[in-house]
């Protein structure tokens, strides 16, 4: 049936009556901007790269839980690990008494860091990992200031929100409760931007107040913007010169999404702290802040008074899912596949969509941004047209004009090829 079907509508209405009205208000605003309805579908089941809604409509999922399903929905090996763990232990005692799977996961994550001797703090969400990094930075440097970037997104709990450079409107209503420790530099989009950005960053670091630079190697929600070559290396050098820490938020880019285990390592950079989330749990909520041993040792220097913990941090079910996910990503050479499949996909899209009002197709690996002419209104109308054709996509970018794709790293290439045809047809209908 044409989505949303009657069951989706009924459930959507029920949710609207009980959920925070923010999301319905956003849907109405989107409907107003795009001139197309924005009533939601409701998911019922999913497998691999497919989602089926409560009306029985089947979709190709090019969002995959906002990039948190690198192996698609319910991958068999993660499901098996969850079943095995479900029979053994659901919850240990976090930071007091760990579970065996938490120990194993922390060891695996420490080995993932590009330098030996790394240490790990686990969390539930990406925002938790960024919070852990911000706290670690101030403990290690005793300088609370942070340099972040316009267009950057690090989560919406208070620490990361203060560093959110994506939309002013995310911060504005909470200004009175927000820390004011962040200075924003422009994220470079083209080589000509690089020197200006680096001048701004260096000046901010020279103030002596900033102990860290927080950066995404590729802007995710900011619209899949790949910065000019050498950006991260130059940030590394600027941080070294100022004795500040480089904190790389790889919550979106990491674990193969951008075609490498860590996009920063691909750029030849060893960060002081790396944040991982999204992909890590294969669909379960878990995140990590991993850092150089000598930086994270700062947590031990306070006689145990500085702690970062929560009831469900390092929950055994999520740890078991994460270990199985890391295994499957390694075994399936997911990063290399994402790199070659993503490259081919972008090239084919560029050919197929020529002359249809597409400003730029960008990204790395299976992180793909399709920036449209016509602003947010056209992007929203096109995303809705794709939903009706059976494809799930979201819009992103500072102006909201970019279709942002983060499909499962395992997605079959014919599905991507068919998506290109569907997008071509929808763009023709929305010139
Ligand atoms: C780069 C980046 N950092 C942090 C976050 C926040 O993660 P979470 O939504 O799990 O808190 C996101 C979420 O989209 C992200 O893209």
């Amino acid at each position: 049936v044409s989505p949303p079907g009657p069951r989706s509508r009924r459930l959507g209405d029920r949710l609207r009556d009980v959920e925070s009205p923010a999301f319905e208000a956003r849907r109405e605003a989107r409907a107003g901007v795009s001139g197309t309805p924005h009533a939601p579908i409701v998911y019922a089941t999913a497998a691999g790269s497919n989602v089926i809604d409560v009306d029985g409509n089947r979709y190709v999922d090019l969002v995959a839980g906002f990039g948190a399903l690198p192996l698609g929905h319910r991958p068999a090996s993660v499901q098996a690990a969850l079943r095995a763990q479900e029979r053994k232990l659901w919850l240990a005692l976090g930071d007091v008494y760990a579970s065996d799977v938490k120990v194993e996961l922390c060891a695996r994550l420490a080995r993932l860091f590009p330098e030996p001797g790394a240490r790990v703090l686990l969390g539930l969400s990406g925002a938790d990992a960024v919070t852990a990094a911000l706290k670690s930075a101030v403990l290690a440097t005793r300088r609370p200031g942070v340099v972040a970037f316009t267009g950057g997104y690090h989560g919406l709990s208070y620490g990361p929100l203060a560093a959110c450079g994506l939309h002013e409107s995310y911060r504005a209503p909470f200004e009175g409760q927000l820390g004011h420790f962040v200075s924003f530099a422009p994220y470079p989009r083209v080589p000509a931007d690089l020197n200006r950005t680096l001048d701004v960053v260096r000046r901010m670091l020279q103030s002596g107040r900033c102990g860290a630079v927080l950066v995404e190697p590729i802007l995710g929600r900011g619209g899949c913007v790949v910065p000019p070559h050498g950006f991260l290396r130059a940030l590394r050098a600027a941080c070294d010169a100022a004795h500040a820490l480089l904190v790389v938020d790889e919550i979106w880019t990491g674990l193969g999404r951008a075609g490498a285990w860590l996009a920063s390592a691909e750029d030849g950079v060893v960060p002081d702290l790396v944040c991982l989330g999204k992909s890590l749990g294969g669909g379960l909520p878990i995140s990590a802040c991993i850092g150089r041993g000598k930086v994270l040792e700062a947590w031990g220097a306070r006689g145990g008074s500085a702690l970062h913990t929560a009831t469900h941090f390092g929950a055994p079910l999520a740890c078991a899912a994460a270990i199985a996910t890391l295994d499957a990503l390694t075994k399936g050479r997911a990063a290399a596949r994402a790199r070659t499949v993503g490259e081919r996909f972008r090239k084919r899209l560029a050919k197929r969509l020529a002359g249809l009002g597409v400003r730029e197709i960008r990204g790395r690996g299976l992180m793909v941004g399709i920036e449209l002419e016509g602003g947010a209104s056209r992007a929203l109308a096109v995303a809705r047209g794709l939903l009706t054709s059976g494809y799930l996509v979201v819009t992103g970018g500072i102006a909201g004009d970019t279709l942002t794709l983060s499909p499962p790293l395992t997605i079959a290439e014919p599905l991507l090829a068919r998506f290109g045809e569907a997008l071509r047809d929808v763009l023709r209908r929305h010139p």
Side-chain angles (χ1 to χ4, degrees):
V1 297
S2 179
R7 289 194 173 143
S8 284
R9 281 189 186 278
R10 239 183 346 265
L11 286 169
D13 288 349
R14 256 174 87 188
L15 187 62
R16 188 191 53 211
D17 291 344
V18 292
E19 196 182 28
S20 155
F23 308 110
E24 181 60 19
R26 183 177 59 180
R27 273 193 281 274
E28 278 171 15
R30 286 180 172 173
V33 165
S34 64
T36 48
H38 264 70
I41 58 161
V42 175
Y43 284 28
T45 62
S49 299
N50 281 153
V51 167
I52 297 180
D53 74 11
V54 288
D55 296 285
N57 285 327
R58 180 192 295 253
Y59 305 88
V60 174
D61 189 356
L62 297 168
V63 189
F66 302 112
L69 296 164
L71 303 164
H73 291 267
R74 300 189 297 111
S77 63
V78 180
Q79 204 168 41
L82 278 172
R83 289 210 173 116
Q85 187 62 40
E86 184 269 330
R87 285 195 291 268
K88 290 196 295 193
L89 180 74
W90 288 20
L91 199 53
L93 263 190
D95 54 287
V96 179
Y97 298 128
S99 65
D100 51 357
V101 274
K102 174 181 161 178
V103 177
E104 164 73 13
L105 178 64
C106 286
R108 293 280 291 268
L109 289 172
R111 285 206 300 274
L112 234 161
F113 196 76
E115 203 179 71
R119 290 180 178 272
V120 178
L121 290 123
L122 294 180
L124 287 169
S125 64
D128 285 341
V130 174
T131 302
L134 293 173
K135 286 182 172 179
S136 301
V138 75
L139 283 180
T141 66
R142 296 174 189 262
R143 278 172 281 156
V146 170
V147 178
F149 293 87
T150 49
Y153 182 86
H154 306 284
L156 294 187
S157 60
Y158 273 133
L161 179 59
C164 178
L166 184 56
H167 297 304
E168 181 62 30
S169 62
Y170 286 173
R171 291 203 317 270
F174 309 106
E175 209 53 60
Q177 291 184 342
L178 272 184
H180 292 95
F181 56 91
V182 179
S183 307
F184 288 98
Y187 196 89
R189 300 177 77 97
V190 291
D193 295 341
L194 197 54
N195 282 341
R196 183 170 151 251
T197 290
L198 292 171
D199 283 347
V200 173
V201 171
R202 285 190 203 108
R203 222 173 320 119
M204 288 169 172
L205 288 173
Q206 275 160 12
S207 75
R209 289 189 302 273
C210 293
V213 172
L214 171 63
V215 67
E216 286 172 83
I218 297 171
L219 289 184
R221 288 200 60 186
C224 289
V225 175
V226 182
H229 188 67
F231 174 48
L232 275 195
R233 273 175 188 259
L235 284 185
R236 177 72 272 177
C239 286
D240 288 344
H243 304 291
L245 303 183
L246 179 63
V247 183
V248 181
D249 178 345
E250 297 238 22
I251 287 162
W252 193 317
T253 52
L255 302 182
R257 167 70 50 199
W261 271 107
L262 293 176
S264 48
E266 184 77 356
D267 289 341
V269 162
V270 180
D272 294 290
L273 297 163
V274 172
C275 299
L276 293 176
K278 288 195 188 281
S279 285
L280 180 59
L284 264 76
I286 186 162
S287 64
C289 166
I290 315 173
R292 284 183 152 152
K294 67 174 192 277
V295 171
L296 289 184
E297 270 159 23
W299 284 96
R302 298 289 179 98
S305 65
L307 292 177
H308 181 63
T309 185
T311 305
H312 288 276
F313 279 7
L317 284 165
C319 287
I323 293 167
T325 300
L326 292 173
D327 280 342
L329 290 172
T330 309
K331 215 168 125 203
R333 298 175 180 274
R337 182 179 193 271
R339 172 182 289 267
T340 51
V341 170
E343 204 57 44
R344 265 201 296 271
F345 179 45
R346 270 185 296 277
K347 273 199 189 126
R348 286 181 184 156
L349 274 182
K351 262 197 208 147
R352 192 162 272 151
L353 305 181
L356 291 174
V358 173
R359 193 169 287 139
E360 192 181 17
I361 298 171
R362 55 179 180 249
R364 220 197 267 170
L366 279 169
M367 204 174 159
V368 181
I370 305 167
E371 185 178 319
L372 302 182
E373 287 166 8
S377 68
R378 182 165 180 242
L380 286 167
V382 168
R384 194 66 184 182
L386 285 167
L387 180 81
T388 307
S389 309
Y391 294 90
L392 300 171
V393 303
V394 288
T395 58
I398 295 182
D401 55 2
T402 303
L403 303 176
T404 311
L405 314 184
S406 52
L409 306 185
T410 50
I411 191 165
E413 284 195 83
L415 291 181
L416 294 175
R418 290 297 299 273
F419 164 76
E421 290 165 21
L423 177 55
R424 182 193 55 201
D425 296 344
V426 174
L427 287 172
R428 281 187 183 141
R429 286 204 299 278
H430 296 275

